[in-house]
């Protein structure tokens, strides 16, 4: 099991959508609630918390205000309570179509309504009291079985998904949650959907759609027959079992999916730990020993590289790089410098990591590429000056390839990236998301959308999605969980005020950073 900050359960945040497709919203003014917003943003995001009394009731806390939803005996609702009281207790009653009914536990009435006419006074459940759960987290993650403590991954040979991985290594461990018709589908890294009988299918048919349920902060997936997904048998094959109520066997955690990368050095060979603790560019194959989990520190923006053998890259004596550190520290942090299609890494000694003649990596270079004219010093021998400063070449540059995002979902400050209806352009402020396909070529990526069309930059920096030929985009991993995308013009892709995706940002910050 991964440790040292690598094993991070996502805090489940979500929006609640009513029968008129409007989101439950917590307003700062007067701590009022309404259902007027057409999209899911910060004011529309909620967290479900178990009741401290250990009963079946839950608490709904606004991510925006940090306060709790409450319902009084006369039906009035607000989001004002800083600490949860009796009126903040609700029962979640899942319905057959996947929606929730929220019932005040102390008063027995149901919560619902439209616009600014919300109350918790209904004695029976009508369409106005039904809410759809829309997850507000990034939908690409790892899935961990609570009972088996094993990760779900795609098993191509058996043509199934199974919860049998000790760690979520490689592209097979990536799952994408697809929100479709008020239910969720589990999409594998090869773009197939998990059906409740354990088969993988190419279309999101009804038996591949699940109602999302929460229990004690964990997730359960209920199929259209009322049964729950669980790992079954010695192999841990993921399919719907017999249970119609979720037990520990049917519960899962969602974990953050950090980028996993391979690096190619100037000798065109993969950086690897296959030969032992030394990190060396000496392999021709791209397998587990050549794959590294990359984490970016939110404060310093420096990164660590964690190997499949269980160690961080670390700076050792005389500038060598070994994969031996068991904890992140100053010596495991590397500063990334983006140089077009290549990246340079600066270690904690202030020097750049380079490839030595034997392929081993060491942080011993003062420059990337040719430095300014070298200083000429030393004794004169035979009438010629001796050069004491060597001229490094491009041994300090690496090609970095993201391997665990063959399919891509992008979210910016205003929402997800999605095809604009009736247009070849892309929106950046949507509550729903489209899934895009990535291919890699010499340090850059081509992005394909709906119908197989490629992304390309058009006039005035507009980004279109119906290209017949691929255009190269460079990915720069700038923050934890966020990247910048650079177009061939040198400009960065950003979400504009109009909601359109454009390549016109000068700096990789703000609206030019994307969750991926």
């Amino acid at each position: 099991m991964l440790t040292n900050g690598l094993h991070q359960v996502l805090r489940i945040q979500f929006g609640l959508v009513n029968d008129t497709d409007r989101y439950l919203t917590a307003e700062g003014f007067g701590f009022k609630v309404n259902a007027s917003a057409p999209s899911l943003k910060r004011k529309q995001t909620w967290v479900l918390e178990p009741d401290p009394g250990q009963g079946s009731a839950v608490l709904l806390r606004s991510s925006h205000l940090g306060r709790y939803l409450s319902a009084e005996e006369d039906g009035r609702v607000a989001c004002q309570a800083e600490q949860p009281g009796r009126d903040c207790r609700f029962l979640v009653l899942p319905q057959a179509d996947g929606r929730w009914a929220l019932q005040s536990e102390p008063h027995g009435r149901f919560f619902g309504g439209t616009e600014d006419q919300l109350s918790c006074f209904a004695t029976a459940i009508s369409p106005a009291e039904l809410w759809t759960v829309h997850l507000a987290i990034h939908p690409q993650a790892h899935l961990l079985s609570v009972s088996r403590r094993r990760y779900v991954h795609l098993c191509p040979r058996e043509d199934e998904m199974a919860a049998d991985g000790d760690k979520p290594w490689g592209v097979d461990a990536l799952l994408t949650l697809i929100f479709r018709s008020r239910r969720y589908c589990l999409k594998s890294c090869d773009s197939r959907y998990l059906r409740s009988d354990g088969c993988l299918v190419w279309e999101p048919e009804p038996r591949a759609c699940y109602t999302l349920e929460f229990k004690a902060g964990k997730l359960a997936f209920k199929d259209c027959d009322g049964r729950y997904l669980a790992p079954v048998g010695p192999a841990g094959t993921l399919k719907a079992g017999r249970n119609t109520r979720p037990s520990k066997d049917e519960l899962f955690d969602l974990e953050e999916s950090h980028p996993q990368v391979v690096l190619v050095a100037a000798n065109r060979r993969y950086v690897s730990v296959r030969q032992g603790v030394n990190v060396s560019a000496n392999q021709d194959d791209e397998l587990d020993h050549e794959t590294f989990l990359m984490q970016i520190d939110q404060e310093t923006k420096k990164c660590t590289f964690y190997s499949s053998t269980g160690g961080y890259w670390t700076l050792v004596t005389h500038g060598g790089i070994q994969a031996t550190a068991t904890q992140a520290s100053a010596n495991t942090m590397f500063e990334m410098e983006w140089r077009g299609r290549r990246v340079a890494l600066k270690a904690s000694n202030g020097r750049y990591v380079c490839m030595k003649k034997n392929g081993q990596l060491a942080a011993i270079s003062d420059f990337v590429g040719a430095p300014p004219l070298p200083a000429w010093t030393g004794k004169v021998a035979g009438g010629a000056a001796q050069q004491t400063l060597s001229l490094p070449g491009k041994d300090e540059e690496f090609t970095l390839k993201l391997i665990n995002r063959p399919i891509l979902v992008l979210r910016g400050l205003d929402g997800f990236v999605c095809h604009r209806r009736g247009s070849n352009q892309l929106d950046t402020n949507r509550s729903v998301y489209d899934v895009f396909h990535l291919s890699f070529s010499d340090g850059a990526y081509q992005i394909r959308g709906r119908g197989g069309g490629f992304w390309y930059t058009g006039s005035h920096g507009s980004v279109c999605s119906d290209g017949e030929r691929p255009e190269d985009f460079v990915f720069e991993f700038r923050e934890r969980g966020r990247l910048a995308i650079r177009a061939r013009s040198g400009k960065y892709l950003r979400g504009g005020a109009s909601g359109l995706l454009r390549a016109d940002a000068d700096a990789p910050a703000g609206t030019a950073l994307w969750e991926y």
Side-chain angles (χ1 to χ4, degrees):
M1 190 66 62
L2 296 181
T3 56
N4 305 326
L6 302 176
H7 177 73
Q8 293 147 345
V9 176
L10 289 168
R11 185 180 67 165
I12 302 299
Q13 300 185 71
F14 55 88
L16 290 172
V17 191
N18 71 0
D19 191 50
T20 60
D21 290 324
R22 292 295 185 265
Y23 287 82
L24 179 64
T25 303
E27 301 287 0
F29 180 74
F31 303 107
K32 295 179 180 180
V33 292
N34 62 61
S36 303
S39 61
L40 176 59
K41 296 184 179 179
R42 189 179 180 191
K43 287 184 179 181
Q44 291 77 39
T45 303
W46 301 82
V47 177
L48 199 71
E49 297 181 356
D51 176 57
Q54 301 299 315
S56 56
V58 296
L59 309 168
L60 283 165
R61 180 169 57 83
S62 163
S63 298
H64 170 53
L65 301 178
R67 301 187 180 220
Y68 293 89
L69 183 71
S70 64
E72 299 182 21
E73 188 174 2
D74 61 4
R76 287 185 296 176
V77 291
C79 190
Q80 186 171 4
E82 296 186 56
Q83 298 296 326
R86 179 171 177 264
D87 288 345
C88 299
R89 295 160 58 91
F90 290 88
L91 297 174
V92 174
L93 306 178
Q95 304 299 296
D97 65 356
R99 289 185 286 181
W100 287 2
L102 298 173
Q103 184 181 32
S104 168
E105 193 214 42
H107 308 305
R109 302 297 180 98
F110 295 97
F111 173 55
T114 59
E115 301 291 335
D116 57 355
Q117 302 297 315
L118 299 183
S119 69
C120 190
F121 204 65
T123 57
I125 301 172
S126 73
E129 284 74 47
L130 293 177
W131 301 89
T132 297
V133 181
H134 187 177
L135 288 181
I137 60 174
H138 192 279
Q140 293 183 297
H142 301 307
L143 194 63
L144 177 70
S145 167
V146 171
S147 61
R148 300 203 180 195
R149 305 306 298 171
R150 293 293 183 270
Y151 291 92
V152 173
H153 68 102
L154 174 67
C155 306
R157 290 185 180 179
E158 289 76 23
D159 206 34
E160 65 185 22
M161 288 188 188
D164 63 354
D166 290 333
K167 49 190 174 183
W169 210 259
V171 65
D172 291 345
L174 180 71
L175 287 176
T176 304
L177 292 173
I178 303 297
F179 186 57
R180 183 183 179 88
S181 301
R182 301 185 185 275
R183 294 176 185 262
Y184 280 89
C185 304
L186 293 175
K187 195 169 190 175
S188 65
C189 63
D190 66 356
S191 296
R192 289 187 289 173
Y193 299 89
L194 177 67
R195 202 166 63 188
S196 58
D197 62 357
C199 294
L200 295 168
V201 294
W202 291 106
E203 296 296 331
E205 55 191 67
R207 294 187 64 196
C209 298
Y210 305 91
T211 300
L212 206 59
E213 292 190 7
F214 296 85
K215 184 176 180 181
K218 311 298 182 184
L219 293 179
F221 299 89
K222 184 170 71 174
D223 74 359
C224 57
D225 297 322
R227 300 179 301 155
Y228 291 84
L229 285 182
V232 177
T237 302
L238 202 61
K239 61 173 66 176
R242 298 178 179 179
N243 287 350
T244 56
R245 290 187 177 182
S247 66
K248 188 176 181 181
D249 287 340
E250 288 77 33
L251 297 181
F252 297 89
D253 274 324
L254 277 179
E255 285 193 9
E256 182 177 357
S257 174
H258 295 288
Q260 294 180 23
V261 301
V262 296
L263 296 100
V264 179
N267 62 358
R268 299 182 183 274
R269 306 191 81 184
Y270 289 100
V271 174
S272 177
V273 291
R274 187 175 299 275
Q275 302 302 320
V277 298
N278 289 322
V279 182
S280 302
N282 59 8
Q283 296 298 315
D284 297 318
D285 297 317
E286 182 184 311
L287 301 173
D288 281 356
H289 285 90
E290 293 72 50
T291 300
F292 301 96
L293 187 148
M294 184 173 71
Q295 280 184 300
I296 299 178
D297 181 74
Q298 195 59 36
E299 297 294 328
T300 65
K301 305 298 186 289
K302 295 180 180 180
C303 72
T304 60
F305 294 96
Y306 187 81
S307 73
S308 61
T309 55
Y312 290 95
W313 290 16
T314 187
L315 181 69
V316 296
T317 307
H318 307 304
I321 304 296
Q322 295 184 346
T324 56
T326 57
Q327 300 283 343
S329 66
N331 281 344
T332 67
M333 294 289 179
F334 297 85
E335 181 181 342
M336 289 190 288
E337 289 187 6
W338 296 98
R339 305 174 64 83
R341 293 171 180 255
R342 305 290 182 261
V343 64
L345 303 172
K346 184 182 287 188
S348 58
N349 62 357
R351 293 188 165 184
Y352 290 97
V353 175
C354 74
M355 179 194 66
K356 298 165 67 175
K357 289 184 179 180
N358 62 1
Q360 290 185 5
L361 301 194
I364 55 177
S365 289
D366 293 314
F367 303 95
V368 177
L373 290 175
W376 291 82
T377 59
K379 297 179 180 179
V380 176
Q386 292 182 331
Q387 184 179 1
T388 60
L389 182 61
S390 63
L391 282 168
K394 292 187 178 180
D395 290 340
E396 297 81 17
E397 289 188 343
F398 298 87
T399 302
L400 186 147
K401 175 185 173 184
L402 176 69
I403 64 111
N404 64 334
R405 290 296 187 278
I407 54 180
L408 184 71
V409 175
L410 293 173
R411 181 168 71 171
L413 293 180
D414 298 316
F416 289 101
V417 175
C418 188
H419 289 95
R420 174 166 284 198
R421 292 177 183 174
S423 171
N424 65 347
Q425 295 182 311
L426 296 155
D427 282 326
T428 62
N429 57 0
R430 300 284 293 277
S431 297
V432 295
Y433 41 85
D434 279 332
V435 175
F436 302 97
H437 294 259
L438 281 187
S439 53
F440 181 82
S441 176
D442 188 31
Y445 300 82
Q446 294 92 42
I447 307 171
R448 285 184 294 114
R450 188 183 302 157
F454 289 97
W455 284 22
Y456 65 95
T457 50
S459 59
H460 307 294
S462 63
V463 180
C464 303
S465 61
D466 60 348
E468 294 183 1
R469 296 181 180 180
E471 180 176 324
D472 288 344
F473 293 88
V474 174
F475 285 8
E476 299 179 0
F477 302 92
R478 292 286 182 169
E479 294 185 3
R480 176 176 175 148
R482 287 173 170 81
L483 58 79
I485 303 175
R486 199 169 196 169
R488 62 183 177 184
S489 65
K491 300 287 187 178
Y492 292 95
L493 273 57
R494 70 172 181 90
S498 64
L500 281 177
L501 184 63
R502 310 185 77 86
D504 61 2
D506 294 319
T511 56
L513 289 177
W514 306 93
E515 283 187 71
Y516 62 97

